[in-house]
Amino acid sequence: MSEEIRIGVYVCHCGLNIAGVVNVKEVVEYAKTLPNVVVAKDYVFMCSAPGQAMIKEDIKEHKLNRVVVAACSPAMHEPTFRGVLGDAGLNPYLFEMANIREHCSWVHPDDKEAATEKAKELVRMAVAKARLLEPLEKIKSAVRPAVLVIGGGVAGLRATLDLVERGFDVYLVEKRSVLGGNAVKLGELAYTTLTGKDVVNSLVEKIKANPKAHIFLNSEVEKVDGSIGDFRVTVTRRLGEGKEEKIELNVGAIIVAIGYDPYEPAIGEYGYKTTDKVVTLFQLMDILSEEGPTKGELLIGGIRPKSLAFILCVGSLSTTPNAKPYCSRMCCSASLKTILKIKEKYPDIDVYVFYKDMRTYGKEEDLYWKAIENEVKFIRFDEAPSVKPRDKFVEVEAFDTTIQERIAIPVDAVVLANGMVPATDTEKIRIMLKIGCGADGFLKEAHLKLRPVEALTDGIFLAGVATGPKNIIESIASGSAAAAKAATIVTKEEIEVEPLIARVNEDMCSGCGICAALCPYEAITIEVKEDGKRISKVNSMLCKGCGTCAAACPSGAMQQSGFKDNQVMAQVVATFRGE
Amino acid sequence: MKPVVVVGGGIAGIQAALDLADQGVKVYLVEKSPSIGGRMAQLDKTFPTLDCSSCILTPKMVAVDRHENIELLTYAEVKEVVGEPGNFKVKILKKPRYVDVDKCTGCGQCVMKCPVKVPNEFNLGMDMRKAIYIPFPQAVPLKATIDPEHCLYFTKGVCRVCERFCPPKAINFNQKPEEIELNVAAIIVATGFSLDDARKRGEYGYGKYPNVYTNLEFERLLSSTGPTKGEIVRRSDGRHPKKIAFIQCVCSRDELTNKYCSAICCMASTKEAILAKEHLPDVECTIFFMDVRAFGKGYQEFFERAKQEFGVRFVRARPAKIEEDPKTRNLIVYYEDTETSRFTKEEFDMVVLAVALRPILPESLVKSGLIQPDNYGFADVPEMYIEPVRASKPGIFVIGVLQSPKDIPDSVIQAGAAAMRAAIYAISG
Ligand SMILES: Cc1cc2nc3c(=O)[nH]c(=O)nc-3n(C[C@H](O)[C@H](O)[C@H](O)COP(=O)(O)OP(=O)(O)OC[C@H]3O[C@@H](n4cnc5c(N)ncnc54)[C@H](O)[C@@H]3O)c2cc1C
Ligand SMILES: Cc1cc2nc3c(=O)[nH]c(=O)nc-3n(C[C@H](O)[C@H](O)[C@H](O)COP(=O)(O)OP(=O)(O)OC[C@H]3O[C@@H](n4cnc5c(N)ncnc54)[C@H](O)[C@@H]3O)c2cc1C
Ligand code: SF4
Ligand code: SF4
Ligand code: SF4
Ligand code: SF4
Ligand code: SF4
């Protein structure tokens, strides 16, 4: 029936990494005795140019149609050798790797004989599987050269501007009636006379001047279908008088930049809302801004305070029962910056800072030095201070850990350095886009360190405070970084994904839906055919090839390409039965 | 479309190169040393998730090597830059390795046979390498390099042993420096950092007392590819320590040396204390700190874990001095616990100093005014609120620790940002 199976086996020395423990020549001789193996060779570095050339020549000369390399972990060089097969005109998936380094020589350096026997077994298993391998083709899908940005704060604005300057259409969807998010309320920023609003305006002006930018205010994303390269999005725009409009978009990538909400203290938390002499830092910044309620005059509860107490970590570091466990990252610096600006304008004000840890990291330490120079007084606490509104003043009481004494300081007003909490819509967006979120409630990145702006779902990227506290500078940088990632997708006409995914044999599928319930990437749907038969369907762009469904399918209908039941069984049998 | 040059192959430079190349932009990645990887290659595990540094870095390094849009220029430096955004002329000097990289398979035969031992910079001089060497097992490219300052052939005209043993005949003593000229649209600079000289704080005895280490040295002690193969042992007698002190803010937050905070060392020490406990379950770890700067995502949680799960002790104090017991080589730390206002001293058998990060600015770019140092010596970003990674001159981008002290996630984010902005110049160039 089918072609004759002709396997080439290549055993690598990896310098002395393998050959120092495993008797490579013996493994080669053994491989030659296995059924279907027509050639077996060894070489010092199989992955080197000469090693690759050797395999390529053999494929042609010996008419090989399967290749086994016994070397390092497939995580290291499987792509390399697949490439070699491709270059030699063979389907790249007719390749199998036996890991005789990490799984053998490295872990058995003291028993050379046993290691050599184990290497033979690993080769036997790989050959058994190689016999049953089938050619596979990469899955291709067309890419829509446009991007959806959800959220028009500084992060979303920066991402939008970068992508339109790069030549792509961007649909920016903002829930509110204005762009800019929380930054517009922050007044003058540290190290500059720029205000948050100036930063927003400079971005918005450039965006509005670019015909590639399509801005939807008063709008929300209602539904997202499809997958990387081809998302179909429904946006609802509020038109006033209770009217709404639906807009259908088709984009290749999505950037989520929904930001945060400022922490809102509970009534009575540090006296909040029990007196007009207690305000949040967020409110104070608005008070100090030219466009604020007092046109920039420092007036709290109708008076110009002569003394101020700042309480840090409000809503953060578990300081109160309502507070979050994490650090909000920018409130130490934002408080000191605000204090210095106040001191500049009103040098006679006495300022007390109640803090738990002063976290002016990096160059922002500069603000701490300057605050000390400006005679700001610092009081360190472990237990949250208590705020007691009196007739004409407010008393802040705390146990000062530095002098080991309880102190009470009367001040004219109290500022609560409130932190950041996940935006109200985080949960809704998370479910709609099938992306994750962490224990802190912020959106979760694919890898905290190395993939900080990618969501776990392909084609979806994250920017700004949506993933966790950041200042404006960091939010803007992450906006550009997310834009770069989106650009890597939308620059391509087509994207290719690995074919090592789950496939359903429709004749065998009973439509029980067990697979759909278990798939961690929500790649499976159960479809009902015209004749009423229920059948599982895998979205090849969403499937990550984890194999969960194939393992669970009671009918054997779900098979994982490259790891089909018969292929894996052949390997298992070869392990125990020998050959 | 014009290419982009990335200078510096640490994690920031690597990520910038990948993010550009994946957008279809041609990239030249210039690295001064024989391998890319930078400081991250020297770390053992990384906070706050404790994943193994080289396990997550190596695949990125391999991806750079394999990418069709990236040309790797290792053992090379930028000599001169002239031009304007969209059109820079960059002169690069490739130093001779004295090894033909097309032939070298990285087999290591030469290294085994070479008779000359030299302090190994990858392990911060705590062990020896050879005059011909491969800097670390996962180096990219995995090629040998002859160090002519120590090689017997270059210093005395004799030996050539490596040449005799090299299977593919890759050694070439006649290699000459090579000059490459590139025309590029933009330049991304990611030349990173080194630690400040801990001897500047003489009261801690670094360089004088053998059992006082820098935190980077301690990372190498923890690492299985380090000088002790992952054994934490004392320099003085090879014994396992029972009590380790970590001293924070050495040459940071300090009027005499650097006033800034180095941003990563609170978490680095917290991590190193946890790892020490994993290596030696009975060891006691004490961290002397002023403020715990656990500001990043997952950092506060990591700090709490160190205290509760691993029993790491945190003492809010900046020690005044360290004295050595000349007999035991143990270290006596003098400090005032600010939470009890008590002066006291305590004996430890190993001390790890969290030393400040100092930026490395490439001279050629500073000289031509393309990068300007800020008042701390980091690369200045004048428009930080709108273009947070743009240097003094448009078209030049500065990222990673070069620009301000920062951790890996922030370095990676800045890399993406620079790749985005540089790509805009590349496509219109
Ligand atoms: C008290 C306080 C003081 C601060 N001080 C400073 C400072 O001095 N300096 C500094 O650099 N930073 C400061 N910050 C931080 C700064 O506010 C943030 O870094 C920055 O605003 C984050 O921008 P963003 O775009 O990520 O989020 P946001 O500004 O929150 O923007 C998110 C946008 O998304 C929109 N959105 C939300 N949900 C949806 C949805 N479902 N659909 C569509 N749109 C949606 C919102 O309406 C908003 O416009 C401070 C923060 C606080 C709390
Ligand atoms: C002890 C310690 C522990 C740490 N632990 C962690 C941790 O657990 N988690 C974490 O997130 N961060 C950690 N960090 C921080 C982390 O090391 C940095 O964030 C990261 O390495 C910064 O990368 P970079 O690319 O900016 O610089 P580098 O890693 O320094 O890379 C710069 C590269 O540029 C090259 N170069 C220099 N000059 C030139 C030139 N003129 N031309 C060409 N190339 C040049 C260098 O050779 C180097 O390869 C730690 C740091 C230290 C010191
Ligand atoms: S940044 Fe400062 S004030 Fe804000 S939560 Fe962290 S430690 Fe507290
Ligand atoms: S292999 Fe995994 S990701 Fe793919 S459909 Fe099955 S369960 Fe989902
Ligand atoms: S010639 Fe130089 S590099 Fe080669 S073996 Fe001799 S000393 Fe080592
Ligand atoms: S012996 Fe030759 S091939 Fe092997 S590492 Fe040395 S130079 Fe390279
Ligand atoms: S991060 Fe911590 S140890 Fe490092 S300088 Fe800042 S406060 Fe000091």
Side-chain angles (χ1 to χ4, degrees):
Chain A
M1 39 162 268
S2 56
E3 50 163 5
E4 178 203 355
I5 304 286
R6 298 176 65 83
I7 304 178
V9 177
Y10 298 87
V11 186
C12 183
H13 297 212
C14 194
L16 289 176
N17 273 304
I18 294 170
V21 178
V22 170
N23 185 334
V24 171
K25 300 276 179 209
E26 210 181 302
V27 178
V28 168
E29 289 312 312
Y30 173 74
K32 285 182 185 163
T33 67
L34 296 172
N36 300 95
V37 173
V38 292
V39 54
K41 290 181 176 171
D42 61 294
Y43 191 67
V44 271
F45 279 106
M46 211 52 84
C47 59
S48 67
Q52 296 189 25
M54 180 172 86
I55 300 176
K56 249 180 256 176
E57 271 162 39
D58 280 2
I59 291 175
K60 297 214 171 97
E61 197 188 319
H62 297 280
K63 302 199 169 46
L64 302 181
N65 52 22
R66 302 286 188 282
V67 172
V68 171
V69 172
C72 52
S73 156
M76 192 79 191
H77 277 306
E78 193 173 62
T80 312
F81 295 114
R82 287 223 171 108
V84 171
L85 268 68
D87 290 350
L90 205 58
N91 184 286
Y93 296 91
L94 297 173
F95 171 76
E96 187 62 25
M97 210 155 173
N99 183 352
I100 60 167
R101 193 179 75 175
E102 285 87 339
H103 287 179
C104 188
S105 67
W106 277 3
V107 283
H108 309 298
D110 304 325
D111 195 343
K112 297 190 178 179
E113 256 169 54
T116 303
E117 286 311 307
K118 179 168 173 185
K120 287 183 193 168
E121 266 172 36
L122 290 166
V123 168
R124 183 170 77 227
M125 290 163 70
V127 168
K129 184 176 170 198
R131 264 182 226 123
L132 300 171
L133 289 175
E134 294 163 0
L136 298 170
E137 294 302 328
K138 285 217 163 155
I139 300 159
K140 290 185 177 158
S141 128
V143 175
R144 311 284 153 178
V147 178
L148 166 72
V149 175
I150 309 176
V154 285
L157 290 172
R158 181 74 256 182
T160 301
L161 180 55
D162 285 335
L163 287 165
V164 295
E165 284 187 354
R166 182 85 167 71
F168 300 107
D169 281 296
V170 177
Y171 303 98
L172 172 59
V173 175
E174 167 58 53
K175 184 174 160 178
R176 290 185 230 178
S177 58
V178 287
L179 293 171
N182 285 304
V184 293
K185 295 247 164 115
L186 298 181
E188 251 183 47
L189 303 169
Y191 314 108
T192 169
T193 50
L194 284 180
T195 62
K197 195 154 196 179
D198 294 335
V199 171
V200 166
N201 285 345
S202 81
L203 294 168
V204 170
E205 271 166 34
K206 289 190 199 126
I207 291 171
K208 285 198 168 149
N210 195 310
K212 291 267 176 191
H214 314 280
I215 303 170
F216 300 91
L217 296 176
N218 300 310
S219 303
E220 274 177 75
V221 176
E222 191 185 284
K223 192 161 155 251
V224 176
D225 281 326
S227 51
I228 180 169
D230 184 15
F231 290 104
R232 287 171 301 279
V233 182
T234 310
V235 173
T236 310
R237 173 152 59 183
R238 293 185 299 277
L239 298 168
E241 293 162 14
K243 281 201 205 113
E244 275 184 0
E245 165 189 31
K246 295 234 185 290
I247 302 143
E248 305 289 332
L249 303 171
N250 194 187
V251 297
I254 299 175
I255 295 176
V256 185
I258 55 171
Y260 70 97
D261 294 332
Y263 174 76
E264 178 71 9
I267 295 169
E269 188 177 350
Y270 300 104
Y272 187 61
K273 289 209 166 144
T274 60
T275 157
D276 53 8
K277 295 190 182 73
V278 176
V279 296
T280 65
L281 176 61
F282 203 75
Q283 289 160 348
L284 176 69
M285 287 187 163
D286 198 30
I287 293 172
L288 292 171
S289 120
E290 301 282 317
E291 285 128 27
T294 60
K295 310 242 170 327
E297 235 356 74
L298 176 62
L299 292 175
I300 298 176
I303 60 151
R304 216 279 272 153
K306 294 238 161 16
S307 56
L308 275 177
F310 278 69
I311 299 176
L312 269 49
C313 300
V314 172
S316 310
L317 296 188
S318 306
T319 42
T320 56
N322 291 337
K324 305 285 181 181
Y326 54 81
C327 165
S328 290
R329 186 171 178 141
M330 55 74 233
C331 14
C332 280
S333 297
S335 298
L336 295 194
K337 165 218 95 172
T338 309
I339 291 167
L340 291 171
K341 301 243 179 201
I342 291 175
K343 277 273 191 181
E344 215 171 279
K345 203 164 163 193
Y346 310 99
D348 62 326
I349 284 193
D350 283 326
V351 181
Y352 302 87
V353 176
F354 291 80
Y355 73 105
K356 197 166 150 77
D357 259 317
M358 188 47 63
R359 293 187 176 172
T360 40
Y361 57 93
K363 296 189 208 171
E364 288 175 358
E365 180 75 0
D366 188 51
L367 299 169
Y368 193 16
W369 287 102
K370 289 219 174 84
I372 292 168
E373 278 161 32
N374 277 282
E375 292 178 357
V376 174
K377 291 165 200 78
F378 288 89
I379 298 119
R380 200 191 153 270
F381 66 82
D382 273 327
E383 296 291 318
S386 56
V387 174
K388 295 179 185 136
R390 305 286 186 220
D391 261 1
K392 294 234 157 59
F393 61 94
V394 191
E395 197 174 79
V396 184
E397 200 187 291
F399 185 79
D400 182 333
T401 62
T402 310
I403 57 171
Q404 294 283 307
E405 251 172 62
R406 181 157 285 281
I407 56 167
I409 299 174
V411 288
D412 290 339
V414 174
V415 180
L416 307 179
N418 54 332
M420 307 188 189
V421 299
T424 327
D425 287 352
T426 306
E427 191 60 11
K428 197 171 102 193
I429 296 275
R430 179 184 78 76
I431 293 166
M432 184 166 61
L433 295 175
K434 300 173 191 144
I435 55 182
C437 95
D440 56 11
F442 290 101
L443 295 175
K444 191 170 174 173
E445 44 290 270
H447 187 280
L448 181 56
K449 279 184 284 273
L450 295 186
R451 296 171 69 192
V453 297
E454 294 164 66
L456 272 164
T457 303
D458 290 345
I460 300 181
F461 305 100
L462 312 169
V465 181
T467 58
K470 290 177 190 63
N471 64 24
I472 292 181
I473 300 172
E474 293 155 348
S475 300
I476 289 204
S478 77
S480 282
K485 288 288 180 199
T488 65
I489 289 166
V490 293
T491 41
K492 301 188 180 82
E493 281 174 11
E494 262 185 351
I495 47 160
E496 283 190 339
V497 299
E498 284 290 336
L500 300 169
I501 57 163
R503 285 163 214 260
V504 193
N505 179 336
E506 296 199 355
D507 296 336
M508 292 168 80
C509 175
S510 68
C512 67
I514 289 176
C515 52
L518 288 176
C519 173
Y521 302 97
E522 300 190 29
I524 304 179
T525 45
I526 299 293
E527 290 194 349
V528 184
K529 295 249 157 155
E530 278 162 23
D531 59 4
K533 185 168 158 44
R534 287 159 52 87
I535 280 193
S536 161
K537 197 168 172 352
V538 179
N539 178 332
S540 52
M541 287 287 140
L542 289 176
C543 171
K544 297 259 187 196
C546 70
T548 306
C549 55
C553 175
S555 324
M558 191 64 88
Q559 293 288 322
Q560 165 80 11
S561 302
F563 299 88
K564 284 186 156 186
D565 289 354
N566 65 336
Q567 296 165 345
V568 175
M569 273 317 286
Q571 242 176 328
V572 174
V573 169
T575 322
F576 296 108
R577 198 176 289 164
E579 220 141 347
Chain B
M1 185 154 31
K2 264 201 192 148
V4 170
V5 165
V6 177
V7 188
I11 182 60
I14 287 173
Q15 189 60 48
L18 288 171
D19 281 350
L20 273 164
D22 284 344
Q23 292 184 59
V25 178
K26 165 97 193 173
V27 183
Y28 295 91
L29 177 55
V30 182
E31 165 60 49
K32 179 170 74 172
S33 71
S35 170
I36 56 171
R39 294 291 169 199
M40 194 176 161
Q42 291 177 298
L43 304 180
D44 181 40
K45 294 186 176 163
T46 50
F47 62 75
T49 41
L50 291 183
D51 28 14
C52 145
S53 193
S54 45
C55 308
I56 60 177
L57 177 64
T58 309
K60 293 244 175 203
M61 292 165 62
V62 173
V64 163
D65 203 23
R66 205 181 279 142
H67 209 296
E68 54 181 11
N69 292 336
I70 302 178
E71 191 165 322
L72 199 49
L73 302 170
T74 46
Y75 215 41
E77 267 180 86
V78 173
K79 280 286 135 199
E80 198 187 290
V81 183
V82 290
E84 292 303 316
N87 187 17
F88 290 107
K89 281 203 172 44
V90 183
K91 250 193 218 143
I92 291 163
L93 186 78
K94 265 193 96 172
K95 293 169 277 185
R97 281 177 188 260
Y98 305 109
V99 169
D100 182 341
V101 291
D102 294 330
K103 289 190 189 151
C104 173
T105 60
C107 71
Q109 293 290 324
C110 54
V111 178
M112 235 159 19
K113 302 291 182 197
C114 172
V116 180
K117 288 191 173 168
V118 185
N120 180 1
E121 46 283 83
F122 186 72
N123 285 333
L124 304 153
M126 291 189 290
D127 66 353
M128 305 300 260
R129 63 159 167 86
K130 296 293 184 68
I132 187 165
Y133 67 109
I134 296 172
F136 51 100
Q138 304 90 339
V140 168
L142 193 68
K143 306 288 174 187
T145 303
I146 294 181
D147 164 0
E149 272 177 45
H150 296 96
C151 162
L152 290 177
Y153 178 70
F154 285 102
T155 53
K156 299 208 171 73
V158 292
C159 186
R160 299 182 80 131
V161 162
C162 48
E163 192 179 34
R164 217 161 1 109
F165 283 95
C166 171
K169 303 272 165 268
I171 308 286
N172 174 4
F173 291 106
N174 298 320
Q175 242 177 30
K176 296 277 171 293
E178 212 183 310
E179 216 175 73
I180 301 167
E181 217 179 278
L182 302 172
N183 186 242
V184 300
I187 304 174
I188 297 176
V189 191
T191 45
F193 70 99
S194 55
L195 293 187
D196 204 349
D197 183 359
R199 275 169 290 223
K200 287 184 186 167
R201 301 275 24 168
E203 67 271 34
Y204 294 148
Y206 179 76
K208 196 163 65 177
Y209 308 146
N211 297 327
V212 178
Y213 291 80
T214 68
N215 50 355
L216 204 52
E217 286 177 330
F218 194 70
E219 293 276 342
R220 296 312 301 144
L221 280 192
L222 289 168
S223 167
S224 59
T225 62
T228 57
K229 303 207 162 28
E231 286 281 319
I232 309 175
V233 290
R234 309 206 308 165
R235 214 162 353 217
S236 68
D237 53 15
R239 285 210 335 261
H240 292 307
K242 294 198 181 62
K243 251 184 110 178
I244 309 177
F246 293 83
I247 298 184
Q248 299 308 103
C249 305
V250 177
C251 303
S252 297
R253 304 182 65 187
D254 173 20
E255 216 145 4
L256 290 179
T257 52
N258 306 299
K259 286 179 83 173
Y260 58 83
C261 154
S262 290
I264 58 97
C265 13
C266 277
M267 285 299 101
S269 294
T270 304
K271 166 192 75 177
E272 287 156 14
I274 290 178
L275 295 176
K277 288 259 186 193
E278 281 185 350
H279 285 230
L280 304 170
D282 293 330
V283 77
E284 283 173 36
C285 291
T286 304
I287 298 184
F288 292 98
F289 72 105
M290 301 203 290
D291 299 276
V292 191
R293 299 218 155 144
F295 57 85
K297 182 158 177 168
Y299 290 5
Q300 181 68 23
E301 295 86 333
F302 188 64
F303 163 63
E304 297 290 347
R305 237 183 105 194
K307 280 194 298 192
Q308 274 138 38
E309 191 178 322
F310 291 90
V312 176
R313 172 178 162 230
F314 286 81
V315 176
R316 202 178 288 269
R318 183 168 213 163
K321 65 171 176 186
I322 295 178
E323 277 173 7
E324 190 191 53
D325 178 335
K327 275 210 283 303
T328 59
R329 293 285 168 118
N330 284 352
L331 302 149
I332 299 137
V333 177
Y334 290 78
Y335 65 96
E336 180 198 356
D337 185 339
T338 59
E339 287 176 40
T340 57
S341 307
R342 258 186 352 137
F343 286 93
T344 173
K345 62 180 180 183
E346 192 173 335
E347 192 168 311
F348 294 88
D349 48 10
M350 184 181 265
V351 169
V352 179
L353 306 180
V355 188
L357 312 187
R358 289 289 316 157
I360 303 175
L361 272 59
E363 237 175 86
S364 52
L365 282 121
V366 176
K367 240 190 300 175
S368 46
L370 301 175
I371 293 184
Q372 252 150 32
D374 68 11
N375 50 351
Y376 294 132
F378 291 90
D380 195 28
V381 270
E383 309 258 333
M384 61 175 136
Y385 280 102
I386 291 157
E387 285 224 54
V389 293
R390 207 202 78 193
S392 314
K393 171 119 184 166
I396 312 278
F397 301 94
V398 284
I399 58 173
V401 174
L402 163 75
Q403 190 235 43
S404 71
K406 62 175 65 68
D407 54 19
I408 295 164
D410 283 353
S411 298
V412 168
I413 286 177
Q414 289 201 331
M420 183 69 239
R421 305 299 301 152
I424 293 170
Y425 287 100
I427 52 155
S428 43

